[in-house]
């Protein structure tokens, strides 16, 4: 069984973080459209980091102990 499946809180927290990020960026872009490029960059950066974390967990669970 994978580490992630044994820790459903990880998946829920990651989903909540991504939803909060989308909401935040939407609200900032609505109030200050000139910041849309920055909010897009923020979203890309956070999603890349989340993907890196997920991949590191997968590598860890596949490595022999």
């Amino acid at each position: 069984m994978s580490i992630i499946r044994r820790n459903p809180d990880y998946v829920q927290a990651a989903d909540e973080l991504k939803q909060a990020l989308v909401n935040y960026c939407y609200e900032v872009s609505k109030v200050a459209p000139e910041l849309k490029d920055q909010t897009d960059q923020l979203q890309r950066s956070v999603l890349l980091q989340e993907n890196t974390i997920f991949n590191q967990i997968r590598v860890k669970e596949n490595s022999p102990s």
Side-chain angles (χ1 to χ4, degrees):
M1 182 178 275
S2 76
I3 292 172
I4 293 173
R5 285 190 200 145
R6 287 187 307 230
N7 295 288
D9 290 342
Y10 165 81
V11 175
Q12 181 179 350
D15 289 345
E16 289 174 6
L17 172 63
K18 288 183 277 190
Q19 187 59 54
L21 174 65
V22 168
N23 292 343
Y24 170 78
C25 290
Y26 171 76
E27 292 299 328
V28 169
S29 295
K30 192 166 68 172
V31 172
E34 67 276 11
L35 296 176
K36 178 146 179 34
D37 288 342
Q38 287 85 350
T39 59
D40 289 347
Q41 183 179 1
L42 175 62
Q43 285 187 68
R44 279 192 300 277
S45 174
V46 170
L47 293 175
L48 285 171
Q49 288 300 315
E50 197 272 335
N51 190 48
T52 299
I53 291 167
F54 178 78
N55 287 337
Q56 288 177 350
I57 290 171
R58 283 188 20 204
V59 167
K60 181 179 178 179
E61 69 187 15
N62 290 329
S63 67
S65 297

